[in-house]
Structure formats: structure tokens, C-alpha cells
Amino acid sequence: MPKEIFEVVRERFHLSDRTQYIVQGHWPKDAVMEAYLDQHKLKVSVKENENVSALERFKDPEKMQGIQITATVQIPENLEGYHKLVIYEKFPDKKHVWFSITAGELDKKRDKPQVYFEEESAEQGTVRIRGWAIAPKPVTVRIFDADKKPVAAEIQRTDRVDVNQLFEEAQDPGKTGFFSEITNVSGKCLYVVFYAGEKKTVHVVPLRKADILAKKLDKYVEKGIRYWKSQGAAALAEKVVTKVKNVRQGPPSYQKWIRHHLPDRNELEKQKKTSFGYRPKLSFVVPLYKTPEKYLRRLTESFQEQTYSNWELCFSDGSGAQSPLTELLKELTAKDNRIKYVSHEEPLQISENTNSAIEIATGDFIAFADHDDELTPNALFECVKAINEKPQTLVIYTDEDKMSMDGHKFFQPHFKPDYNPDLLCTVNYICHLFVVSRKVIEKVGGLRSEFDGAQDYDFVLRCVEAVKDEEICHIPKILYHWRCHEDSTAENPESKLYAFEAGRRAVQAHYERTGIHAEVFKGEYLGLYRTKFIRDHDPLISIIIPNKDHIDDLKRCMESIEQKSTYKNYEYIIVENNSTDSATFEYYKKLEAENPKVHMVYWDGVFNYSAINNYGASFAKGEYLLLLNNDTEIINPDCLEELLGYCMRKDVGAVGARLYYEDDTIQHAGVVIGFGGIAGHCFVQQKRGTTGYCHRIICAQDYSAVTAACMMVKKSAFDAVGGLSEELAVAFNDIDFCMKLRKAGYLIVYNPYAELYHYESKSRGLEDTPEKVARFNKEIATFEKKWPEILKNGDPYYNPNLTLKSQDFSLKRI
């Protein structure tokens, strides 16, 4: 068996004391640490980290002889004349190098902003960077091209609780996270510069393929040498083979994927010959403003290439008098009687320009396109097919991707869920392609100029308000290519900041129309929005915590609520479940004596998670129940308020939280039915600070289920569906419960702003006996029997083009 790897995972200088060099990592339990700067022995202090990574539990116990430590090494003020710092693991009979760094490298790090990149990618002219930066003074970030000229880029700054915890000495770290997406990038490299006062740290992002590859290779070589030294050549060879195999089994590139999924010539010919029972006319309305001729021609051609022919293209030229488009529009309309246009003497803003196009439309359905985008040749066919299959359809939206300026490359596909009202209030995920019945427009009216910049967002929200959920159809196919250029809001957010404020107002107006008391704020990134619901009272929350021994877990869980929570109207229902340690019962007595909010109840049956929670709920006095594992710890003070805000809405049955392992990786960010064959958590083990596919980790949204490790539910809804199903004693009971709530007409909401640590169900054992395996298999069969439709047809909140083989929302394997 390979020996355990003892290595440094993080090193840095103390923010306010330049003589303290801090090193963290995995350390052999029986070793003594010695540090030398050349021949000079340095003072070292070592402390064991309180939280050990949850991921370590999955390692072989024989390899778990080490500990996680933080070491502080006292470094001289002046490093001139020194060559190298070396830290040793010292045993009675031997000494190994644990870590080393040159004095020059140390000096470069000192006093400068400390920076960590979690994501760095450069492909097809688009650069994405994400990470964090911290210093004694506020850090500002700027980006320069290879010629040291500033690059116009929106750099989003975010709060990073994990970074703040890491740098305990930081007094007021502010927003330490950063994210930026820069398009139409060219040249040799970009320089990302982090400034803190007069000090700066420079990070180079290579853009040329050879340089990118060389940088990756350097990292792999460094990792490989470290692994070889600790594990040996055979283990390294085995790891390389595994890595190569995983790469082959990984998701395909989107360029390759889209080639396999766009209809071929034979399919397009077949579509042209298809005869529909109902052939509605689709009117596409397109506002124009001095559109470049080549893009307008290409848009028009993409309509003429459609396999469904009953369409009209309605242009409104808002360029004003002396429009450069007049002759081209005359030419296009003369050649095809399905094309029409209206021109104007005065320049028009986007809403009135679009409304003018709607006025000349005669179709049964109205659809929207931007003047420089393109449709796939099957776009209209798929829309009409959906209308024929589901005649009640009044609103349609489809998946989309982005297209390079020359139209040859497709990237950043947006594979969307079926109608998801809470995601729509977080971001305009519907966007393109959007098709709506004329009846709906006659009811809600056209676009409103007071929301210009987000006029489409406001319009979409008004349309979905006017129809039933079952009248909204999502077609999970890429039918729209969004051409990217520097003036596009999506690609250069700084150019249209007013649009994001208009978007906030659009969501606020939606809540006001629907009678929901809420305040809308801008989210962590431009184009995302955060809702805080306004309560008219503070209802009692009954916090139900099952417990079997493990009083340290229970104490930490309750103390986090007592000490951090800003919401105070709650009671605890502690469900004692067959504890054996006498100290546990002494602790219970102490709890009840000292805290009037605590109510102890005693379950003396066999372990059955569903029955235990149902039993606890029977004692609850609150309007709302919070099902909570004893091995959780709330992070943010408004955690309960965040859960309650959504749960108090009439249409919501249950609300889940964002949970982290103690190593700050995602443990839960919603549940998708189908992951792992039955159901699984989204974005598992992704690092804190990353936002996931299309920012889904940080978006409030609806899912089919959330975990009961932390789940708030209406008591009335809990009772209406009969609580948790007791035939599911251990597995899938929370998923089944959410499915029952959804069947009863409730939404299940994931709220990323309720954050907790979850210390991974320490009190429940593995499925490691024949009896447990048999029970687990029986519960799988029970779940499959109860919910065959969603397992067969797929989770409506997860796109069928994404894989079920991993939980990262990557593309389905070809």
C-alpha cells in the first residue's frame, strides 16, 4: 500500500506581521518540526487544525496516521544574504524535508497582496478568471494586455467567508473574491494586477496555446515529482494511467458536441416534408439600429433556411432619418414576401422599436430575435412541433449558445431547466429563443420603455404571470446562436450598467404585481438578483434535531444557532434516539434546565430517520419545522431568516440550504433526480467561491428536492402529505418527501444564502453489512416504484443534454 502523502497545501505571510510565515498541510503525527534558513534554526509554533477534511474519511484508515496542521515560522526582517528556507519532519532516527522555498521567493511574497486563482481559462478569445486576493489594505484589481494597456473588463468582487476565516488576523477584509470574463481577447497574454496601496502582485494569463500548455505542463511536472518522491514510480505510473482514462471518459468539448447534435441534411429534409395538423404563423420581431449589413443578411438567411415555412420576419428600423439600412431592407422585402419592415423618421429606443415591429406582425405567435443573431435551421420546426404535441402551449423558450463574430465557433451553451420561477427571479435565464402567443401579448401589452436595458426581462415576467405553469413549454435544444461582440451587454457588462438596474426593478415590479412583499437587490454578479422577503410577523420555528450520543456535535450545532442567529423565535425538539453513553443523558438534563427553548423527546424504536422526524414533528408547536442534522453548524447569522423568507410564501413547501464539507467544498446545492441512478446532490466537492454551471450554485431556484440535513418546511404542508415516508428508513426519505410536496402543488426552493457546514453524518454508519445492503436496495426499489415517471422522463429542473454521470452539470457524453 502506498505510504501517506505529507505535504504543504497552503503557505503565506501573516497580513500584519511580516516576520510570520504560515504554512498549512498534512503532517506526520509523531514528527517534530524544525525550520532552517540556511544554517540558522528558526522559531516554529505548530497547532493542529480543528476541522479535518470530510474527504479524508474516504481514505484507507491505514493511511490516516497524519494530522492537519498550521505552522508559523519566525522569519528575519531582512532576508538579504540568505538562500533557502527548509522545513523538516524530524523523527528519532531520521529527518525528511517537508517543504522548502528560496529566500528570493519569500522576499517576493512579503508585503504584497496574497492571491489565489481557482479558475483560469483562455479559449476561443474568451478568458475567465476566478479566485481571491487579500492584503492589509483593500485590494483593487486591474487587467492589462500584453502591451501593458488597460483592458476594459468588469471585475466582479464577492464576499469570501472561507478566505476571511483563513486570514483570521484580517480586521476588515471586504470583498476578497474576484471574477471576470473577458471576450475578444488577442495577443500573447494578459496581466492581472492586484494593488494594495503601493504594493502589487502580478499574475500572467497566457493566451497562446503553446504557452498555456507549457504552464499546465509545469504544474503537472511539479505535482508529479512531489507524488513520485512520496509514493514511488509505480504509484505515479498508475496515477497517470487513471488520469488519462478519466480525461477520455470526461465531457466532450462543446464544439465537438454541437456537431453531433445539430440536425444533418437528411433530418432537415425530413422536417421539410413533415405535415403538422396545426400550422401557426410565427412572426419574428426584430428591432434594427444601424445594423451591419453582413449580420442582417445572415440573420435573414437563417430564416430562409428554416425547415418550417409559415413565418414572417418583421423589422422595425429605429435608425432614424437617413438610415443606412433603407436600401438593404427594400431589397430583402422585394425578394421574399414573408419579410416586412417599418421605418421611422426619429431614432427609437429599444422598447418602442420592438413594439413597432410587433404592430406589423400578423402571426399567431410572436417571437423575438436580436438583429445580429442567428437561428438554427430547425428552430421554427421544433417550436411548431411542441405546439402540436401540447396544444395548450402559450409560451415557449429554448436553449441557446454563443457564437463568434465570424459565425464559425459556438461556445458557452446555456442548457436550461424547465420553467423555474425562482431561478427566473434570480436571472433572466429564459432569454432566447422566446415565443409567445398573440393572445398573451394582447393581455399583457408590449415592451415597456421604463425598463429599457432589461425590457425583455420585464416582458418575460409579465408573460409568465399571465399563463399557467403547464402552458409554458421549454424545448431543451440549442435553437438560437447569440453573436458576441464588445457592445453586447452579456460580454461587456460595464457598457450597460443601467440595464442591470432595470433588471432589478423588473423583478421588484413582478413581486409587487403578484402580491409578494419582497425587496430585490443586485446579486454577486451583474445580471443576478437576490430577493429578501419581508415578513409581517416572526412565526415560531420548531427545530427538530435527532441525536444519538455525539453530544459534541449537538452542542456545536445548537451553539451556532444560539450565538449567531439573528432570528430568535424558535424552539428545539431534540429527539433522543437510543444513546448508550450516560454522559449524553446528563447533557440532556443540563440542556433542558439551562435553555427553556429545549424540549427533549425520546424515541425508543429501531433507527428509522423518517419515523424519528415524524415523531419529533408531533411535538412541534411551530408554524414551520426545521429538520436539522446534529452534525451541522450555521455560518451566516441570517440563515434562519433566509430559509423562512421563501418558506412563508404560499406556493413554497420546503426550502434547502447551501451546505459545505468542513474543507469548504460543496456538500449540497440542491438535488437532481437521476444522479447516481436515483438522486444526488449538485456540485459536490466544488470549491467554495466557485459558482458552478451558469452560476447555479449561487442562484436561488427551484429543484425537485433538497436534503433534509437542513430543510425548512411548512408544518401545514408537512401534515398534508403525511410527513416522511416511514417505509424509507434511511435512504431517499427526504427526496421522497420533497416529491410528495411537489405532487401536492408546492415548490421546493434551494436558497444559497442560507449557509451551513455539514460534518457528513458521522453518527450513521456505512452500508457495510448484508442486512444494511439489503435494506438499501429495498429502499431504492421503493423509491423507483413510487416515482417511475421522473426517473423515466428526467428531472424537469435538470437539462437532458447534461450528464447524469457526474454532478457538475457537464455535457452528456457523446
Side-chain angles (χ1 to χ4, degrees), residues 711-762:
M711 178 199 292
M712 186 172 287
V713 57
K714 280 185 178 69
K715 179 67 160 58
S716 58
F718 185 92
D719 292 340
V721 301
L724 279 71
S725 301
E726 295 184 14
E727 68 267 34
L728 295 168
V730 176
F732 311 118
N733 36 52
D734 48 358
I735 315 302
D736 169 81
F737 175 65
C738 289
M739 297 294 287
K740 292 197 296 182
L741 287 171
R742 287 185 62 231
K743 189 176 180 181
Y746 291 105
L747 291 171
I748 309 298
V749 178
Y750 158 70
N751 183 355
Y753 297 105
E755 297 181 87
L756 301 91
Y757 284 112
H758 181 202
Y759 299 101
E760 188 50 30
S761 300
K762 293 177 185 176

Side-chain angles (χ1 to χ4, degrees), residues 105-155:
E105 287 175 297
L106 277 175
D107 217 27
K108 284 180 184 177
K109 291 172 182 281
R110 186 180 255 170
D111 302 325
K112 293 183 178 179
Q114 301 188 45
V115 178
Y116 184 75
F117 274 70
E118 293 163 327
E119 179 183 359
E120 178 187 316
S121 65
E123 54 183 28
Q124 299 172 354
T126 297
V127 171
R128 286 169 64 89
I129 55 171
R130 185 194 315 278
W132 52 262
I134 194 168
K137 297 179 179 179
V139 176
T140 56
V141 188
R142 294 183 67 192
I143 300 174
F144 300 86
D145 63 19
D147 298 321
K148 311 289 177 69
K149 293 178 181 175
V151 173
E154 175 65 23
I155 301 165

Side-chain angles (χ1 to χ4, degrees), residues 484-522:
C484 292
H485 55 84
E486 288 179 330
D487 294 327
S488 166
T489 305
E491 299 310 311
N492 186 8
E494 229 173 12
S495 66
K496 292 186 180 179
L497 288 175
Y498 73 91
F500 301 106
E501 169 57 21
R504 187 199 64 77
R505 289 190 289 105
V507 180
Q508 185 72 58
H510 161 71
Y511 284 128
E512 289 167 3
R513 286 190 302 271
T514 53
I516 295 173
H517 298 293
E519 189 171 359
V520 181
F521 301 87
K522 290 180 182 176

Side-chain angles (χ1 to χ4, degrees), residues 310-343:
N310 191 17
W311 55 264
E312 68 176 0
L313 190 49
C314 305
F315 292 122
S316 175
D317 183 9
S319 307
Q322 311 301 318
S323 168
L325 302 177
T326 303
E327 293 306 314
L328 174 58
L329 290 170
K330 286 180 180 178
E331 177 197 327
L332 294 174
T333 53
K335 289 180 178 178
D336 193 327
N337 60 13
R338 295 173 297 182
I339 303 173
K340 56 174 75 171
Y341 79 97
V342 58
S343 56

Side-chain angles (χ1 to χ4, degrees), residues 730-732 767 771-781:
V730 176
F732 311 118
E767 314 300 338
E771 293 79 13
K772 288 182 179 179
V773 170
R775 186 211 61 230
F776 185 70
N777 289 335
K778 182 182 176 184
E779 293 182 354
I780 288 176

